[in-house]
Amino acid sequence: MLLKSCAEKLDGYVYYLLLFTVAIIPLEQKFAAICVGITFVGALFAAFGDIHREKVLKGWEQVALYLLFIFAWVSLHFSKNVFISSYNFIYVVGQYVAIIFVLLRYGWQRPQPFPPDGKGTADAGWKATFNKLPRPLQLLSIFFLMSVPVSLVGLAQNFFCVAGEFVWVDPQEFPDLKVRVFSTLKNPNILGGYLVLVIAYAISFYGICSTKKARCVMLAVVFLAGICLLYTYSRENWLACLTMLLVFCLFFCHKAILPLAAASVVGMIIGGPSMLHRLVSILNGQDTSAALRIAYLRSTEWIIEEFPFGVGWYGYQFVYPAYNYYLVDTSVIMYHCHNLFLNILAELGWHGLFAFLLVWWIFIFNGIKLLRFGRQNWLRAMGRGYILAVISITISGLTDHVYFNSQMGILFWFFGILIMLCRKLNNYVV
């Protein structure tokens, strides 16, 4: 009885741990892992209480998710270093499983009295307004909130040159480019991937904001993230963001075409010659970064041909040296092949890639359904944001694999499960 009583009391605090964890994810990798672990343990202990939770996923969806993680676990057998692959599997996949478990139990609730289409009273305070939001919106609000310091840190690195000169830069190919910001994500391309997610959801929700204050907040989030994205000089994320914004203008908001064109011109002016040179380099592909990526892809093709069942989770680095024809310095570790889909295929095999695409399609399909049939504006905006995010992930994933990073990986599952939570809530709203 004492255990049950303690579990029921703890149950009321797990959601606050989840909110805190979402806030920490983009700030510090190791601390985020600790927060995910503590939240998961709290949720497990609270599960001993007699608290009923309605299922969010359908039976076959759960099977697809289990299958993906089982394939990833079985792939450890094919790794050239089972110990290191197993350790990384426990550390990284353990966080994914933990965040999924907690989100499915605590990320939704039947909506309380909620102003239709996001409209609230003018005199409501921030706390009262936040408390009225459905939990998916509360979680997304925290995501938006924490994007501000991440963007500001990146801007500070650029304007005060604290990121270090020629870090993540080829000085011979880009002599004018001295600083690429990385903020709290430790890598310009990873930061770029994060900022594109921020922009995807912020522009989706801008259109449903019913007050001038809310629209200004969304514009500020987009502006800070956009300027910071510019200074990452991450070409693949520039292209991903541009493609995403074009889709947004063509299919969701024709009025945004002129502002987008104006923003592009302003961005070119701010970026100057270094940005133009960086864009032109996409076409010639002669810089070190582009040449390396081509070499990775060729080597990965050979690996896939010889290992159709995969080289094991986190096992790419142990196989790559045997297929390395480009790098002279063999001491440089290649953790992934800089292509999201080929990397999954190389490590998990064809069956693993199929399971991943099946799970991802579940998220995408329900995002499209929310976009079209969401019963409130915020639900449709959530679906729109996810579809825009998928476009950016796909485009950038062709030339990089930023979701190799555990923080970005957690966000991938966070937004996917958020769509499933919104689908559940869509059954209750009117």
Side-chain angles (χ1 to χ4, degrees):
M1 290 297 294
L2 179 60
L3 179 63
K4 180 179 176 181
S5 176
C6 292
E8 290 177 351
K9 290 181 180 179
L10 178 61
D11 187 76
Y13 294 96
V14 173
Y15 178 64
Y16 297 104
L17 289 174
L18 176 60
L19 288 174
F20 182 75
T21 298
V22 172
I24 295 300
I25 288 172
L27 300 184
E28 215 288 319
Q29 188 178 68
K30 293 181 179 179
F31 189 34
I34 294 172
C35 291
V36 170
I38 292 174
T39 306
F40 177 64
V41 171
L44 275 182
F45 185 75
F48 285 102
D50 187 18
I51 302 173
H52 177 67
R53 289 287 193 276
E54 294 184 37
K55 289 185 178 181
V56 175
L57 301 180
K58 299 175 182 178
W60 72 272
E61 294 170 340
Q62 290 179 323
V63 170
L65 193 60
Y66 294 153
L67 199 63
L68 174 60
F69 290 132
I70 289 172
F71 284 160
W73 174 71
V74 171
S75 76
L76 297 174
H77 173 75
F78 301 104
S79 175
K80 298 292 184 181
N81 192 320
V82 177
F83 177 79
I84 293 180
S85 290
S86 298
Y87 172 80
N88 185 267
F89 179 84
I90 295 171
Y91 176 74
V92 176
V93 179
Q95 292 184 65
Y96 299 164
V97 172
I99 201 70
I100 290 171
F101 176 81
V102 177
L103 279 170
L104 289 177
R105 285 185 63 86
Y106 294 93
W108 83 284
Q109 85 274 17
R110 294 191 184 187
Q112 299 168 344
F114 183 64
D117 298 333
K119 297 179 181 179
T121 56
D123 58 344
W126 283 104
K127 183 177 180 180
T129 303
F130 183 81
N131 289 335
K132 289 180 181 179
L133 297 177
R135 286 189 175 182
L137 272 184
Q138 291 180 350
L139 291 165
L140 189 64
S141 298
I142 296 298
F143 171 76
F144 283 144
L145 177 65
M146 299 315 297
S147 73
V148 174
V150 173
S151 298
L152 289 176
V153 169
L155 293 176
Q157 287 178 336
N158 178 78
F159 291 115
F160 297 105
C161 298
V162 295
E165 289 193 357
F166 299 116
V167 178
W168 307 102
V169 175
D170 182 352
Q172 294 182 344
E173 179 66 22
F174 304 105
D176 296 330
L177 179 55
K178 297 182 179 181
V179 176
R180 291 184 64 192
V181 304
F182 48 81
S183 188
T184 58
L185 278 300
K186 311 300 183 185
N187 181 296
N189 294 329
I190 295 174
L191 173 61
Y194 168 80
L195 294 172
V196 173
L197 289 180
V198 173
I199 294 171
Y201 277 91
I203 62 173
S204 295
F205 275 85
Y206 172 80
I208 69 165
C209 292
S210 58
T211 65
K212 184 177 180 180
K213 182 183 294 185
R215 288 195 293 271
C216 289
V217 169
M218 286 294 99
L219 277 179
V221 169
V222 172
F223 175 78
L224 290 175
I227 297 297
C228 190
L229 176 63
L230 175 67
Y231 289 126
T232 64
Y233 290 94
S234 176
R235 292 168 292 186
E236 60 268 22
N237 284 303
W238 284 352
L239 289 176
C241 188
L242 180 60
T243 304
M244 177 189 74
L245 291 175
L246 286 174
V247 170
F248 176 75
C249 293
L250 292 175
F251 293 96
F252 304 120
C253 185
H254 298 300
K255 295 180 180 179
I257 294 178
L258 289 179
L260 173 61
S264 300
V265 173
V266 172
M268 293 292 293
I269 295 174
I270 294 175
S274 58
M275 180 181 179
L276 183 61
H277 191 187
R278 189 80 172 161
L279 287 171
V280 172
S281 69
I282 297 176
L283 301 177
N284 59 47
Q286 297 300 311
D287 64 284
T288 303
S289 178
L292 273 173
R293 279 163 169 73
I294 295 173
Y296 297 152
L297 296 181
R298 289 176 179 172
S299 297
T300 304
E301 289 177 3
W302 299 335
I303 293 173
I304 292 170
E305 289 176 0
E306 295 197 22
F307 298 92
F309 293 102
V311 297
W313 174 271
Y314 202 62
Y316 184 87
Q317 59 183 306
F318 306 119
V319 177
Y320 179 79
Y323 298 85
N324 175 22
Y325 70 91
Y326 183 84
L327 284 177
V328 177
D329 186 3
T330 57
S331 65
V332 178
I333 300 175
M334 293 301 154
Y335 292 100
H336 57 85
C337 73
H338 288 77
N339 182 291
L340 170 64
F341 306 100
L342 288 182
N343 199 83
I344 294 173
L345 175 55
E347 292 193 341
L348 303 188
W350 286 99
H351 54 298
L353 177 63
F354 172 78
F356 169 77
L357 293 177
L358 176 60
V359 172
W360 201 17
W361 171 245
I362 292 172
F363 297 156
I364 295 171
F365 177 74
N366 284 282
I368 295 173
K369 285 186 65 177
L370 276 177
L371 167 63
R372 296 185 60 192
F373 306 113
R375 295 180 180 178
Q376 287 189 351
N377 279 347
W378 73 269
L379 287 165
R380 293 191 290 274
M382 192 72 78
R384 180 166 57 243
Y386 188 73
I387 297 306
L388 293 176
V390 166
I391 292 170
S392 68
I393 293 171
T394 302
I395 297 297
S396 63
L398 296 176
T399 56
D400 207 350
H401 182 18
V402 299
Y403 290 87
F404 178 85
N405 173 272
S406 63
Q407 293 161 282
M408 293 299 295
I410 292 173
L411 288 177
F412 176 87
W413 291 107
F414 169 77
F415 285 114
I417 297 300
L418 215 59
I419 285 296
M420 309 309 289
L421 298 172
C422 289
R423 180 189 70 177
K424 184 74 174 180
L425 276 173
N426 197 45
N427 296 327
Y428 292 106
V429 298
V430 294

